[in-house]
Amino acid sequence: MSTKSILPELVRRFEAEILNDWMREQRAAITLRADLLTDAELARQSAEFFAAFQAGLQGQDLGEITGPAWGTARDLLKEIARLRSRQGFSLSETATFVFSLKQPLFALCQRELEREAVLLVGELWTISVIIDKLGLFTAESALAAREEIIGRQQAELLELSTPVVKLWDKVLALPLIGTLDSNRTQVVMESLLQAIVDTGSSVAIIDITGVPTVDTLVAQHLMKTVSAARLMGADCIISGIRPAIAQSMVHLGVSFTEIVTKATLADALRHAFARTGVSVSRQAAG
Amino acid sequence: MILTREVAELKRPEDVVRVRQVARALALQAGFGLVDQTKIVTAVSELGRNALIHGGGGTATLEVIEEGIRRGLRIVFRDEGPGIADVERALQDGYTTSGGLGIGLGGARRLMNEFEISSSPGKGTTVTIARWK
Ligand SMILES: Nc1ncnc2c1ncn2[C@@H]1O[C@H](COP(=O)(O)OP(=O)(O)OP(=O)(O)O)[C@@H](O)[C@H]1O
Ligand SMILES: [Mg+2]
């Protein structure tokens, strides 16, 4: 831009008025969740951000919100996005915080630069660029915050759902269900090893009936677990390899050599009983 | 003739899961039985993960195709990663640069009817596979 923007100057001169109008815009926005945010909190966030916004306007290149002048503003927006995501605001509700500042700034410029069309267009453009960038930054921050929340919840769920079950004295079973190539595999396998130690089990049955695909990664996870269990004195049996999966494994070239595999969990249990010296007999009907 | 086309990104581990699901759905749509579906999905899993892990991310294009009276599924994996200097060697079972089993690439070739790989160091890798009914 050839002419220097008078935006910083305008904003400073009408500071109180803009802040006031902006607050009014926010309160009027249907997206403001009065149930989630008190007016005092909104006023505090707005005032803080508005100060940072003015600091940003002092920078070299106005539209460059990644620069150092906008550092405080970015930090505040991140913080607000994080807070609001935790409180359950939607992305657009969160981004409205910034976008609603556009209207008061536009109105001000239109009024103050009424007679200077060229200047006016330039300033409106600058405002647009800055607010849009800040708004997108807010939405992105909210998205990142939300992903972080989901990630944490997933981790908590993993902790909760340790699917190792003790079937019999010294016999454990791990029914695996769903996709195996995530963090989940690691957690589940570790919980099996821990359970082997805790229960002093000598046989562990890993049932993969509920696993839709066995590829090299899954196979490698399983083999590592079996080796580790062996080091701790427990033998593993893998059960529930369905026919279609068995055929794919053959073509793929992975085989569970030196690992006992059984078609069903029942077969595996029978094998485990034999290994641990348990005999099961049917009572004669009397 | 292309009957259906889906393009999927491979940027994160979850994307491999998604591409597998898309492959399964398209294989079903093309009329493949359970065994063939499983073979296709397994190959897709291998090549999808290779594009993600070794290729630094890429895309998978999945197409249900028809040629005369035969129907099939074709999948193209593209990445712009480091490429493979010695493709023949990479195809050998047991060759790995990442502590894997080193079976994925050769295994995917065995699981499919058609397998084509073109790779140039520094530019990336494209693997095209197809299976016919
Ligand atoms: N898309 C790719 N880009 C770059 N290098 C690749 C790519 N795909 C495969 N490679 C190279 O080829 C090697 C062999 O691949 P392959 O899939 O057979 O084994 P792997 O991925 O190492 O282990 P896994 O058995 O778990 O698949 C890899 O270790 C890697 O060096
Ligand atoms: Mg691989």
Side-chain angles (χ1 to χ4, degrees), chain A residues 147 179-182 212-220 223-224 242-245 247-254, chain B residues 12-13 16-17 20-21 24 34-35 38-42 45-46 49 93 99-101 103-104 106-108 110-111:
Chain A
E147 277 173 3
T179 315
L180 273 190
D181 48 5
S182 54
T213 326
V214 175
D215 58 9
T216 54
L217 190 73
V218 173
Q220 202 181 16
M223 291 191 267
K224 278 184 182 160
R242 285 172 290 150
I245 291 194
Q247 288 192 46
S248 289
M249 285 175 60
V250 169
H251 284 87
L252 183 60
V254 296
Chain B
R12 312 151 166 225
V16 179
V17 178
R20 279 206 303 252
Q21 285 164 351
R24 167 124 19 219
L34 184 60
V35 171
T38 309
K39 285 180 181 170
I40 292 168
V41 171
T42 307
S45 188
E46 293 304 334
R49 193 167 317 96
D93 281 354
L101 294 176
I103 288 176
R110 289 186 291 269
L111 285 163

Side-chain angles (χ1 to χ4, degrees), chain A residues 211-243:
Chain A
V211 177
T213 326
V214 175
D215 58 9
T216 54
L217 190 73
V218 173
Q220 202 181 16
H221 273 306
L222 287 171
M223 291 191 267
K224 278 184 182 160
T225 307
V226 171
S227 306
R230 203 168 276 160
L231 285 177
M232 296 182 333
D235 278 334
C236 288
I237 306 169
I238 296 181
S239 67
I241 304 177
R242 285 172 290 150

Side-chain angles (χ1 to χ4, degrees), chain A:
Chain A
M1 242 171 287
S2 51
T3 47
K4 193 168 169 357
S5 174
I6 62 160
L7 191 61
E9 162 61 21
L10 270 184
V11 171
R12 186 169 41 223
R13 189 141 43 102
F14 297 98
E15 175 176 73
E17 180 189 332
I18 299 170
L19 186 57
N20 214 12
D21 288 353
W22 180 34
M23 289 284 298
R24 204 175 44 234
E25 285 285 333
Q26 292 192 72
R27 287 194 196 100
I30 44 162
T31 52
L32 178 72
R33 301 283 301 270
D35 53 329
L36 297 178
L37 191 67
T38 64
D39 203 56
E41 180 65 8
L42 179 68
R44 189 187 61 79
Q45 287 178 354
S46 301
E48 249 181 294
F49 176 73
F50 194 61
F53 178 76
Q54 281 180 277
L57 291 180
Q58 303 307 317
Q60 288 292 330
D61 187 352
L62 279 192
E64 201 36 80
I65 68 147
T66 52
W70 289 100
T72 314
R74 286 197 308 270
D75 288 347
L76 276 172
L77 287 179
K78 255 195 220 158
E79 179 60 20
I80 289 170
R82 206 174 56 79
L83 272 173
R84 295 196 175 188
S85 299
R86 267 218 307 250
Q87 289 167 327
F89 281 78
S90 75
L91 289 189
S92 68
E93 283 164 355
T94 301
T96 297
F97 176 70
V98 174
F99 285 128
S100 57
L101 180 55
K102 204 186 258 187
Q103 185 50 38
L105 291 174
F106 269 21
L108 176 78
C109 285
Q110 270 157 348
R111 189 188 71 206
E112 293 302 312
L113 301 173
E114 202 179 7
R115 269 174 260 276
E116 297 175 78
V118 178
L119 200 55
L120 175 62
V121 171
E123 298 299 3
L124 292 185
W125 177 253
T126 307
I127 294 169
S128 250
V129 168
I130 296 175
I131 297 291
D132 288 357
K133 283 184 179 173
L134 290 172
L136 289 179
F137 178 84
T138 311
E140 275 165 20
S141 304
L143 196 62
R146 200 182 278 188
E147 277 173 3
E148 193 193 304
I149 293 169
I150 293 173
R152 203 172 47 234
Q153 285 169 344
Q154 272 173 347
E156 282 163 8
L157 265 176
L158 284 179
E159 298 280 316
L160 284 176
S161 62
T162 304
V164 184
V165 283
K166 186 172 171 183
L167 285 185
W168 203 263
D169 186 36
K170 295 190 181 302
V171 181
L172 293 179
L174 175 66
L176 292 176
I177 291 165
T179 315
L180 273 190
D181 48 5
S182 54
N183 300 331
R184 198 174 149 246
T185 317
Q186 198 62 33
V187 173
V188 164
M189 298 305 182
E190 273 165 22
S191 66
L192 175 67
L193 298 177
Q194 188 60 48
I196 289 173
V197 176
D198 293 346
T199 60
S201 293
S202 55
V203 181
I205 302 170
I206 303 176
D207 185 82
I208 61 169
T209 313
V211 177
T213 326
V214 175
D215 58 9
T216 54
L217 190 73
V218 173
Q220 202 181 16
H221 273 306
L222 287 171
M223 291 191 267
K224 278 184 182 160
T225 307
V226 171
S227 306
R230 203 168 276 160
L231 285 177
M232 296 182 333
D235 278 334
C236 288
I237 306 169
I238 296 181
S239 67
I241 304 177
R242 285 172 290 150
I245 291 194
Q247 288 192 46
S248 289
M249 285 175 60
V250 169
H251 284 87
L252 183 60
V254 296
S255 56
F256 295 136
T257 44
E258 295 173 33
I259 301 177
V260 179
T261 56
K262 295 286 168 195
T264 66
L265 185 62
D267 291 340
L269 187 58
R270 199 166 297 128
H271 183 88
F273 280 161
R275 286 284 327 253
T276 53
V278 175
S279 66
V280 183
S281 62
R282 209 183 298 269
Q283 293 277 319

Side-chain angles (χ1 to χ4, degrees), chain B residues 26-122:
Chain B
L26 291 187
L28 195 67
Q29 183 193 325
F32 284 106
L34 184 60
V35 171
D36 280 348
Q37 282 174 35
T38 309
K39 285 180 181 170
I40 292 168
V41 171
T42 307
V44 164
S45 188
E46 293 304 334
L47 299 175
R49 193 167 317 96
N50 278 357
L52 178 73
I53 307 239
H54 307 303
T59 59
T61 307
L62 305 94
E63 293 167 342
V64 178
I65 44 178
E66 203 170 54
E67 256 181 39
I69 52 158
R70 62 175 194 167
R71 216 174 241 211
L73 188 58
R74 178 169 57 211
I75 305 127
V76 185
F77 299 87
R78 282 194 195 86
D79 68 64
E80 292 174 359
I84 305 173
D86 187 345
V87 170
E88 276 315 308
R89 190 152 167 228
L91 275 163
Q92 278 167 19
D93 281 354
Y95 176 76
T96 177
T97 54
S98 66
L101 294 176
I103 288 176
L105 212 50
R109 179 159 70 172
R110 289 186 291 269
L111 285 163
M112 302 299 281
N113 298 133
E114 288 172 20
F115 181 96
E116 223 180 272
I117 180 167
S118 73
S119 185
S120 42

